[in-house]
Amino acid sequence: MNAGLRKIREDLGQRLKIYRAKRARARSKATFIGVTGSSGKSTAASLLGHILGGHRRVYTRVLANTIKSLVSTLYKRMNKGGEVDYVVFEAGAFGVDTIRPMAQMLKPHVAVVTMVRLEHFSSFKTLENVAREKRALVEELELGGLGVLNADDPNVLAMASGDTHRFVTFGESETADYRVADINAAYPRTLGFTLHWRGGTLKLETPFPGEHFWLPTAAAAATALELGAPARMVEERIATFVPLANRCHVVVVDGGPHFVVDTAKAPWHSLPLAFDMVAKSGAGGKRIVLGQLSDFAGSNAKYARAYESAREIADQVIYVGEHAHRSKASKADRDSGRFVELRTPKEASDHLRRTAAPGELILLKSSSSLHLERLALAWTHDVKCWIPACGKKEGCQDCGLFEVPFEEHRDFVKKRRNDRRRQRLRRLFGG
């Protein structure tokens, strides 16, 4: 009975939050911007918020990209400190018909779509299903809204239909409204490229280590320019952006290695992009650490093909986790140390500690389940949480408990919560 009452109370509470969220959206005079795509959406949304923040009030919500997060954004977070001019929301798809409810609540004035790729394979099965899901954000545009679409992706370009909205495109295509050219990055030299548009030419210098980041950068720049952001400000804000953690962000250890940490996700299509970044780097030594692939965790063929590609680029390839045995690496590669198979992140961390050379480039690539970002954190922090898989989706930096042994997390969080409550009470009563 208690469980039944609890369920009723939770359902009523959620309905109330949804009602308040819809009211907040209806009252708001802000311009609502939804960003989606198989990859690049988090960076595009975060960068767009950073650019627009140079001349207007902006609320940006990335990473927490679910309907629950949107409800919270609309009814609770958005109006703190007064109304804003722009709301930038990253809409993620985790299965069929997950974006449309968000799009119907967000009612975007602007919809940005970065790309369509076959991610979350177990849920979508086909590329067409992914495209249909992403299209939902564009279909829910407010009357006269703006769609900003990838001109190089036919599945995205096909979303530009109907005469009730305005569409602009970005990409390397000659027909793109925002045409990208002269793409160049070779770490430690970061990404730069030229953006041609009707207003002229922008020379964009970014903090990103790989060439593939031109896509979310161009998407954000095109959207900001369409919304009236001054071109000079767009250039300046892009140059000062701080990349998102665990999405190819760079960690330089003083007197030690340089890490490129790409541990938020590892869909198959993203591996060549990350490997190409390492291949083009001017670093003296190169290593690739590969954890778990997204959607293809149990595929011998995928892990074997990944090893073949990584082997051509890196001096050493390290596979970590329960699927490390799937590399099909030869006995000669194993004996020579060209390939290293390790079961846990702690073993990988210890191996790098023993063998890393100053200035070498180490790519950490994995889905979020293994939290391989700890391998870089261990060079600057006293990492004590080394459980192979904790089940948390957020990165270790957001969790903040990586310096606490995993088995002590619950007690640590409870004590911290109680300490904060006592501090609030002391402030309340003048203590």
Side-chain angles (χ1 to χ4, degrees):
M1 185 64 177
N2 288 338
L5 289 175
R6 190 182 307 115
K7 180 67 166 59
I8 292 173
R9 185 175 63 184
E10 290 173 354
D11 289 345
L12 290 174
Q14 184 62 19
R15 289 183 184 182
L16 177 60
K17 289 178 181 179
I18 291 173
Y19 170 75
R20 293 173 65 183
K22 289 180 177 179
R23 283 192 61 194
R25 170 63 185 91
R27 291 196 310 266
S28 178
K29 297 179 181 179
T31 296
F32 287 80
I33 306 166
V35 183
T36 193
S38 298
S39 285
K41 59 183 177 295
S42 299
T43 296
S46 185
L47 178 55
L48 176 59
H50 178 72
I51 296 170
L52 295 175
H55 76 139
R56 292 288 188 271
R57 297 166 297 175
V58 183
Y59 182 84
T60 305
R61 190 65 178 263
V62 298
L63 304 182
N65 51 20
T66 64
I67 185 70
K68 183 178 180 180
S69 175
L70 177 59
V71 169
S72 174
T73 295
L74 292 174
Y75 99 91
K76 184 169 63 175
R77 301 288 181 88
M78 193 183 71
N79 290 319
K80 280 190 175 181
E83 182 63 275
V84 294
D85 298 297
Y86 297 104
V87 175
V88 183
F89 183 80
E90 175 196 355
F94 305 97
V96 175
D97 206 28
T98 51
I99 283 187
R100 189 170 299 280
M102 284 188 280
Q104 290 173 339
M105 181 174 292
L106 185 66
K107 297 183 181 299
H109 299 97
V110 182
V112 183
V113 186
T114 60
M115 67 172 70
V116 170
R117 298 291 186 274
L118 187 52
E119 293 189 20
H120 304 292
F121 177 79
S122 58
S123 298
F124 288 112
K125 306 300 184 186
T126 69
L127 194 64
E128 291 74 20
N129 286 338
V130 178
R132 190 178 302 112
E133 190 65 27
K134 304 301 182 184
R135 179 190 288 272
L137 184 69
V138 179
E139 291 176 340
E140 296 299 331
L141 275 168
E142 289 275 65
L143 189 65
L146 169 66
V148 182
L149 307 177
N150 182 351
D152 302 334
D153 188 327
N155 287 294
V156 177
L157 197 58
M159 299 176 190
S161 60
D163 55 5
T164 57
H165 308 306
R166 184 168 66 90
F167 294 97
V168 297
T169 59
F170 64 90
E172 295 183 274
S173 169
E174 288 291 335
T175 62
D177 299 304
Y178 291 82
R179 183 171 63 83
V180 174
D182 308 318
I183 302 169
N184 189 272
Y187 183 81
R189 188 175 70 252
T190 54
L191 168 68
F193 65 90
T194 304
L195 187 66
H196 301 277
W197 65 302
R198 64 181 182 276
T201 299
L202 275 67
K203 296 289 187 180
L204 299 180
E205 297 296 332
T206 83
F208 302 115
E211 290 185 354
H212 58 289
F213 278 94
W214 73 260
L215 195 152
T217 304
T223 306
L225 290 166
E226 287 294 314
L227 291 172
R232 181 65 181 273
M233 190 198 74
V234 171
E235 290 180 325
E236 292 174 349
R237 297 292 285 183
I238 287 174
T240 60
F241 179 68
V242 177
L244 294 171
N246 305 336
R247 284 168 167 76
C248 282
H249 87 276
V250 176
V251 176
V252 178
V253 178
D254 188 21
H258 295 204
F259 290 94
V260 175
V261 186
D262 194 11
T263 58
K265 59 180 186 176
W268 179 250
H269 73 84
S270 72
L271 262 63
L273 302 176
F275 291 174
D276 182 66
M277 174 177 55
V278 176
K280 290 179 178 176
S281 169
K286 301 175 183 179
R287 278 197 265 193
I288 293 175
V289 182
L290 184 68
Q292 181 166 309
L293 301 180
S294 305
D295 291 322
F296 296 102
S299 171
N300 286 332
K302 294 293 186 183
Y303 281 94
R305 286 174 58 191
Y307 176 64
E308 290 175 4
S309 298
R311 184 187 184 281
E312 295 299 314
I313 298 165
D315 304 305
Q316 184 180 74
V317 180
I318 304 168
Y319 270 29
V320 184
E322 62 179 327
H323 302 287
H325 64 286
R326 300 182 187 278
S327 70
K328 302 297 182 182
S330 67
K331 184 177 185 301
D333 281 1
R334 292 172 181 272
D335 292 344
S336 68
R338 186 72 179 272
F339 173 78
V340 177
E341 177 183 322
L342 299 169
R343 290 300 175 192
T344 69
K346 181 64 166 68
E347 291 174 345
S349 178
D350 291 343
H351 175 73
L352 293 179
R353 272 291 189 180
R354 291 191 303 268
T355 61
E360 77 165 306
L361 181 65
I362 302 175
L363 169 68
L364 306 178
K365 179 67 176 177
S366 176
S367 66
S368 62
S369 58
L370 283 180
H371 293 291
L372 289 190
E373 60 268 21
R374 290 177 289 182
L375 276 61
L377 283 169
W379 287 77
T380 55
H381 297 77
D382 184 16
V383 177
K384 294 179 180 177
C385 179
W386 286 110
I387 187 169
C390 65
K392 295 182 179 180
K393 298 295 185 182
E394 61 188 328
C396 291
Q397 300 92 331
D398 291 329
C399 170
L401 298 176
F402 52 85
E403 293 184 302
V404 180
F406 181 77
E407 59 274 13
E408 298 177 17
H409 280 194
R410 180 172 296 180
D411 290 340
F412 181 88
V413 171
K414 183 178 180 180
K415 181 179 182 302
R416 185 173 61 184
R417 186 185 303 117
N418 290 336
D419 288 344
R420 289 173 177 171
R421 286 172 178 169
R422 283 192 289 269
Q423 290 173 5
R424 286 196 294 269
L425 286 172
R426 281 197 294 267
R427 286 195 298 268
L428 181 63
F429 294 105

